[in-house]
Amino acid sequence: MLVSRRKFIKHSLLASSGTLLIPSFLKALEHPATTLAERKVVVIQLSGGNDGLNTVVPYRNDVYYKSRPGIAVSSAQVLKASNELGFNPGLTKLNDLYDRGYLAVLNNVGYPNPDRSHFRSMDIWQSASGSESSLTTGWVGRFLDASCNGCATHRAIELDDTLSLALKGDSMKGMAMKNPEKLYRSVHDTIFNDVVTQNLLNDVEGQSLRYLYKTMAETKSSAELIHQHAIARSSQATYPDTEFSKRLKTIAELIKADLNTRVYYVSLAGFDTHVNQQNQHQRLLETYANGVHAFITDLGSQLMKDVLILTFSEFGRRVTQNGSGGTDHGTANNVFLFSGSLKQKGFINESPDLSSLDEGDLIHRVDFRSVYASILEKWLEVPSQNILKRSFSTLDFI
Amino acid sequence: MILSEKHKHFLQRAAFGPGIADLRNDIDIADLMVGSSGKQSIDIVVRPQSKDVKTDAGQRKELIQAARKQVFALNAAWVHQLVSPDIRAREKLTFFWHDHFACRVRAPFLIQQQNNVLRDHALGDFASLLMSVSKDPAMLQFLNNQQNRKNSPNENFAREVLELFTLGHGYYNESDIRNAARAFTGWSFNVMTGSFDFRERAHDDGMKEFKGKRGTFSGEDIIAIILEDPRTAQFITEKLWDFYVGDPDATIINSLSREFFNSNYNIGQLLDVIFSSEWFYASQYRGNRIKSPVELIAGLMTQTGGTFQNAQSSLYIQRALSQVLFFPPNVGGWPSGTSWIDSSSLAFRLALPALLLRNSETDIDLKDDGDVNNIINEATSKKLDFRVDWELIAHTFSRHNEQETLDALEYYLLARETSKANKRIVQKFAGKGENDTVFFKKAFTAFMSLPEYQLC
């Protein structure tokens, strides 16, 4: 949608000198936060294949202890939550959120014909494809396509330097940025800034070149808007001193500053625990839980009513430990959902069934795309069928 | 210095843009194609010997480390070779085939072997290329064909051959896949030596029905039937057109496809026709194609004459831009065009020339896909080591009239003219009164930082 010449001129007269001449700049300003309480999703991706059974521990299950004599979480150490399941000792802060009703745990989430390759399975989760097909777009990107045609690129933000498949749609793409300051600097780098401010999109010829100029303009306008919001509300809350927490802190600042972003995406890597996993895994879970806890505390109960956090990993790990004190790639896994508006809390479905495995691997009971469908339909309030390429039944956690 | 528009466009598409050495008397395009399509195999990795290899954990770890280093070396070798003037046309086409026959395995010898197969057949006939790639151990392993046995078929290989390599979706049915898979049973390879191996006992020699024909087809028969369908020629022609030309023109493509089919799939001949046709040089096809990351990197190397001083630097950039040679994301290969571009990737691509030419460090962290065995997660130094001979460049483009020099550089570096505003920006950036090498470094940096530089 091109802004008409008259409207463009009118706006450019209003704009102060030194701002963009390219009409797309106006997009970032044309979409103020639509309602006071626009719901947001924060997706946390645990990369590497988080060992679900040592995260949410079936501490009464003999098969668990028999399969993992060297690495099981002992009944003494586990943080007991229900009479079947408990949490890894690194998850003290998560246990607190569980007690306060912010957490829903969905067990046995996966998809048919699971793929145990990192990049294949992660692509499947990010693109919401089945294991039999390969999509070149991601579910959040397609959400942008469906809900937000022509709006600003920062409607979905990934807290990273490069953009994941998840945020790439057919026509819309989210934006990747690690911190607002860095992004702002990169677009105010001399040549980038000069090129954007001194050229008119209407004068650019050729489809490919126009796409490049348009992307530059959108990047700059989103960067400036984000920058304004970020400096308005820099957080005083205390966060752990980890890269992961820093990224969550940035998200919290942007949410509190009322930026009109709908989906945030952030990753924590290191979960591919093939060797001597116990300490490494516990530390990672601590990093994860402490960050999420600080984030939720920072936002507070009022804002958390409009925020839903989804945590997933591309697969779980095998039930039996391997010969190196670790575990190998598996299949179904648990998924964590945090919000102040959960309709179901705690462990909302059955525990993993260790007595009926598929060649040593857990069998999924819930298709992960049902989780996405629930988030799209019930939380973000958009139809999910086109986005997910198929119809999936929704769940009742929200 | 003479470089005609046609010559320039040819080099942008058939190779990675003009280099300093290309700025000479205009030569015949046909000569250029011949002169730059020579062949040079990559021969870093020695063929493994068929030994009884019993290793302990320590030895296995060493072997894995050694393999990792070799794959880095293969990547660096190919990057280096891509821009070598006498072979660059074949190298770019090999890169095209690498994407078309996308394959991702770990064993260095298999990676190298397949790469040379693609290179050998790149400009030959597609029938031989297809047969050789289908029997290539890396491909068979990647698509699990060793697990495709009589009475226990694995359809992966057959499916991808039909869907991605030859006919394309919609020109065969599921029954064709099942039957083709049966015909390919027994196509395997010797894991020790990395050679093709036909396992007779695993082969299903029963009656099959494929694309309307019946017979006790072998894998070779299936490939022959696929090639008898002109649709295969159409599919390949369309892909080559997309890579070398641009937006489709159905009439021309159909005509090229018929010729391609009738010439027994002669790839070299098809490209000759494309590069010697008037329409190839039409303005609608010039400077309107977004370079893939590898093309961007190769273009930077070609046009500055610069080289990477260590494998980690070019590997880092490939990773940052999401295209690493030998590591396509899946069997469908890499995306193209605007799919390469998002806010952060574009910002990085625009900033890359300045980073490389100033020998700076970058502060961009790369994603770890979580796989401890994925060698491309290797933390590489963020110091980019790229050397350029600025004296040679200053010598080539004399500077007596600054405006003329800048115009010449614009023509040399960009596939299309840029705006007056951008010319002023470059002029301001390049500055005055600097010594020659500094001036040229800045001018090159400025032009290559424009969005127009992303196009070929």
Side-chain angles (χ1 to χ4, degrees), chain B residues 134 139-149 154-158 180-181 184-189 196:
Chain B
S134 301
M139 189 59 82
L140 292 167
Q141 178 182 75
F142 181 59
L143 296 176
N144 317 111
N145 210 57
Q146 332 84 282
Q147 280 125 39
N148 183 21
R149 316 171 71 79
N154 178 313
E155 292 175 4
N156 199 14
F157 179 76
F184 287 126
T185 47
W187 280 31
S188 186
F189 65 97
F196 176 75

Short mmCIF file of all heavy atoms in Angstrom, two decimals, chain B residues 134 139-149 154-158 180-181 184-189 196:
data_model
loop_
_atom_site.label_atom_id
_atom_site.label_comp_id
_atom_site.label_asym_id
_atom_site.label_seq_id
_atom_site.Cartn_x
_atom_site.Cartn_y
_atom_site.Cartn_z
N SER B 134 23.03 -39.35 -8.71
CA SER B 134 22.14 -40.35 -8.11
C SER B 134 22.92 -41.52 -7.56
O SER B 134 22.46 -42.19 -6.64
CB SER B 134 21.12 -40.83 -9.14
OG SER B 134 20.36 -39.74 -9.62
N MET B 139 25.06 -38.47 -1.67
CA MET B 139 23.62 -38.32 -1.90
C MET B 139 22.85 -39.53 -1.40
O MET B 139 21.80 -39.41 -0.77
CB MET B 139 23.36 -38.09 -3.39
CG MET B 139 21.92 -37.70 -3.72
SD MET B 139 21.40 -36.18 -2.89
CE MET B 139 22.10 -34.95 -4.00
N LEU B 140 23.40 -40.72 -1.65
CA LEU B 140 22.73 -41.93 -1.21
C LEU B 140 22.64 -41.96 0.31
O LEU B 140 21.63 -42.36 0.89
CB LEU B 140 23.48 -43.16 -1.73
CG LEU B 140 23.42 -43.36 -3.25
CD1 LEU B 140 24.43 -44.40 -3.69
CD2 LEU B 140 22.02 -43.78 -3.68
N GLN B 141 23.71 -41.51 0.96
CA GLN B 141 23.68 -41.49 2.42
C GLN B 141 22.69 -40.44 2.92
O GLN B 141 21.87 -40.71 3.79
CB GLN B 141 25.07 -41.17 2.97
CG GLN B 141 25.07 -41.09 4.50
CD GLN B 141 26.42 -40.73 5.06
OE1 GLN B 141 26.85 -39.59 4.99
NE2 GLN B 141 27.09 -41.71 5.61
N PHE B 142 22.77 -39.25 2.36
CA PHE B 142 21.91 -38.15 2.79
C PHE B 142 20.44 -38.53 2.66
O PHE B 142 19.62 -38.20 3.52
CB PHE B 142 22.23 -36.91 1.96
CG PHE B 142 21.43 -35.70 2.30
CD1 PHE B 142 21.46 -35.16 3.58
CD2 PHE B 142 20.65 -35.06 1.35
CE1 PHE B 142 20.73 -34.02 3.90
CE2 PHE B 142 19.92 -33.92 1.66
CZ PHE B 142 19.97 -33.40 2.93
N LEU B 143 20.09 -39.21 1.58
CA LEU B 143 18.69 -39.55 1.35
C LEU B 143 18.38 -40.99 1.76
O LEU B 143 17.38 -41.56 1.33
CB LEU B 143 18.33 -39.29 -0.13
CG LEU B 143 18.42 -37.81 -0.51
CD1 LEU B 143 18.14 -37.62 -2.01
CD2 LEU B 143 17.44 -36.98 0.30
N ASN B 144 19.23 -41.56 2.59
CA ASN B 144 19.00 -42.85 3.24
C ASN B 144 18.80 -44.03 2.32
O ASN B 144 18.07 -44.97 2.67
CB ASN B 144 17.77 -42.80 4.18
CG ASN B 144 17.73 -41.54 4.98
OD1 ASN B 144 16.87 -40.68 4.78
ND2 ASN B 144 18.66 -41.40 5.89
N ASN B 145 19.42 -44.01 1.13
CA ASN B 145 19.11 -45.11 0.22
C ASN B 145 19.74 -46.45 0.60
O ASN B 145 19.33 -47.48 0.09
CB ASN B 145 19.46 -44.75 -1.24
CG ASN B 145 18.54 -45.46 -2.21
OD1 ASN B 145 17.32 -45.31 -2.14
ND2 ASN B 145 19.10 -46.29 -3.09
N GLN B 146 20.75 -46.41 1.54
CA GLN B 146 21.27 -47.72 1.96
C GLN B 146 20.18 -48.48 2.73
O GLN B 146 20.26 -49.68 2.86
CB GLN B 146 22.50 -47.67 2.87
CG GLN B 146 23.42 -46.50 2.73
CD GLN B 146 22.92 -45.33 3.55
OE1 GLN B 146 22.00 -44.63 3.13
NE2 GLN B 146 23.52 -45.12 4.70
N GLN B 147 19.22 -47.70 3.27
CA GLN B 147 18.14 -48.37 3.98
C GLN B 147 16.98 -48.76 3.08
O GLN B 147 15.95 -49.26 3.54
CB GLN B 147 17.61 -47.45 5.10
CG GLN B 147 18.49 -47.48 6.33
CD GLN B 147 18.94 -46.10 6.73
OE1 GLN B 147 18.17 -45.16 6.65
NE2 GLN B 147 20.18 -45.99 7.15
N ASN B 148 17.14 -48.51 1.79
CA ASN B 148 16.09 -48.85 0.84
C ASN B 148 16.38 -50.26 0.32
O ASN B 148 17.26 -50.48 -0.51
CB ASN B 148 16.10 -47.82 -0.31
CG ASN B 148 14.98 -48.06 -1.29
OD1 ASN B 148 13.98 -48.70 -0.97
ND2 ASN B 148 15.13 -47.56 -2.50
N ARG B 149 15.64 -51.23 0.85
CA ARG B 149 15.93 -52.61 0.50
C ARG B 149 14.66 -53.30 0.03
O ARG B 149 13.55 -52.90 0.38
CB ARG B 149 16.50 -53.36 1.71
CG ARG B 149 17.54 -52.58 2.48
CD ARG B 149 17.87 -53.30 3.78
NE ARG B 149 18.62 -54.51 3.51
CZ ARG B 149 19.92 -54.54 3.26
NH1 ARG B 149 20.62 -53.43 3.25
NH2 ARG B 149 20.54 -55.68 3.02
N ASN B 154 12.64 -47.67 1.48
CA ASN B 154 12.71 -46.32 2.04
C ASN B 154 12.59 -45.39 0.85
O ASN B 154 13.43 -45.38 -0.04
CB ASN B 154 14.06 -46.12 2.77
CG ASN B 154 14.19 -44.71 3.32
OD1 ASN B 154 13.92 -43.73 2.65
ND2 ASN B 154 14.62 -44.64 4.58
N GLU B 155 11.51 -44.60 0.86
CA GLU B 155 11.18 -43.84 -0.35
C GLU B 155 11.86 -42.48 -0.47
O GLU B 155 11.65 -41.76 -1.45
CB GLU B 155 9.66 -43.61 -0.39
CG GLU B 155 8.87 -44.87 -0.61
CD GLU B 155 7.37 -44.63 -0.52
OE1 GLU B 155 6.95 -43.46 -0.36
OE2 GLU B 155 6.62 -45.61 -0.62
N ASN B 156 12.62 -42.12 0.54
CA ASN B 156 13.17 -40.77 0.59
C ASN B 156 13.93 -40.39 -0.69
O ASN B 156 13.66 -39.37 -1.30
CB ASN B 156 14.09 -40.64 1.81
CG ASN B 156 14.33 -39.20 2.19
OD1 ASN B 156 13.63 -38.29 1.74
ND2 ASN B 156 15.32 -38.98 3.03
N PHE B 157 14.86 -41.25 -1.08
CA PHE B 157 15.68 -40.97 -2.25
C PHE B 157 14.82 -40.81 -3.50
O PHE B 157 14.93 -39.82 -4.23
CB PHE B 157 16.69 -42.11 -2.41
CG PHE B 157 17.60 -41.98 -3.60
CD1 PHE B 157 18.66 -41.10 -3.57
CD2 PHE B 157 17.39 -42.75 -4.74
CE1 PHE B 157 19.51 -40.98 -4.66
CE2 PHE B 157 18.23 -42.63 -5.83
CZ PHE B 157 19.29 -41.76 -5.80
N ALA B 158 13.95 -41.77 -3.74
CA ALA B 158 13.11 -41.74 -4.94
C ALA B 158 12.26 -40.46 -4.97
O ALA B 158 12.13 -39.80 -6.00
CB ALA B 158 12.21 -42.97 -5.00
N ALA B 180 9.48 -46.40 -8.12
CA ALA B 180 10.85 -45.92 -8.32
C ALA B 180 11.73 -46.36 -7.15
O ALA B 180 12.87 -46.80 -7.33
CB ALA B 180 10.87 -44.40 -8.47
N ALA B 181 11.18 -46.24 -5.93
CA ALA B 181 11.95 -46.64 -4.75
C ALA B 181 12.35 -48.11 -4.86
O ALA B 181 13.49 -48.47 -4.56
CB ALA B 181 11.14 -46.39 -3.48
N PHE B 184 15.24 -48.51 -7.12
CA PHE B 184 16.52 -48.01 -6.57
C PHE B 184 17.06 -48.87 -5.43
O PHE B 184 18.13 -48.58 -4.89
CB PHE B 184 16.37 -46.57 -6.09
CG PHE B 184 16.27 -45.54 -7.19
CD1 PHE B 184 15.20 -44.65 -7.23
CD2 PHE B 184 17.24 -45.46 -8.18
CE1 PHE B 184 15.10 -43.70 -8.25
CE2 PHE B 184 17.15 -44.52 -9.20
CZ PHE B 184 16.08 -43.64 -9.24
N THR B 185 16.33 -49.90 -5.05
CA THR B 185 16.83 -50.75 -3.97
C THR B 185 18.16 -51.35 -4.40
O THR B 185 18.38 -51.68 -5.57
CB THR B 185 15.86 -51.92 -3.65
OG1 THR B 185 15.45 -52.53 -4.88
CG2 THR B 185 14.63 -51.41 -2.90
N GLY B 186 19.06 -51.46 -3.45
CA GLY B 186 20.37 -52.02 -3.75
C GLY B 186 21.39 -50.96 -4.12
O GLY B 186 22.60 -51.22 -4.08
N TRP B 187 20.94 -49.75 -4.42
CA TRP B 187 21.90 -48.68 -4.72
C TRP B 187 22.47 -48.21 -3.38
O TRP B 187 21.80 -47.55 -2.60
CB TRP B 187 21.20 -47.50 -5.41
CG TRP B 187 20.98 -47.70 -6.88
CD1 TRP B 187 20.76 -48.88 -7.54
CD2 TRP B 187 20.97 -46.70 -7.88
NE1 TRP B 187 20.62 -48.68 -8.88
CE2 TRP B 187 20.73 -47.35 -9.12
CE3 TRP B 187 21.13 -45.31 -7.87
CZ2 TRP B 187 20.67 -46.66 -10.33
CZ3 TRP B 187 21.05 -44.62 -9.07
CH2 TRP B 187 20.82 -45.29 -10.29
N SER B 188 23.71 -48.55 -3.17
CA SER B 188 24.32 -48.22 -1.89
C SER B 188 25.78 -47.84 -2.10
O SER B 188 26.20 -47.59 -3.23
CB SER B 188 24.17 -49.42 -0.95
OG SER B 188 24.63 -49.06 0.34
N PHE B 189 26.55 -47.79 -1.03
CA PHE B 189 27.95 -47.45 -1.20
C PHE B 189 28.77 -48.11 -0.12
O PHE B 189 28.26 -48.51 0.93
CB PHE B 189 28.14 -45.93 -1.17
CG PHE B 189 27.79 -45.29 0.15
CD1 PHE B 189 28.78 -45.00 1.09
CD2 PHE B 189 26.47 -45.00 0.47
CE1 PHE B 189 28.45 -44.42 2.31
CE2 PHE B 189 26.14 -44.42 1.68
CZ PHE B 189 27.13 -44.13 2.60
N PHE B 196 30.46 -46.12 -4.92
CA PHE B 196 29.13 -46.69 -5.19
C PHE B 196 29.22 -48.22 -5.17
O PHE B 196 30.20 -48.82 -5.60
CB PHE B 196 28.65 -46.23 -6.57
CG PHE B 196 27.32 -46.84 -6.97
CD1 PHE B 196 26.14 -46.39 -6.41
CD2 PHE B 196 27.26 -47.88 -7.90
CE1 PHE B 196 24.91 -46.95 -6.76
CE2 PHE B 196 26.03 -48.44 -8.27
CZ PHE B 196 24.86 -47.98 -7.70
#
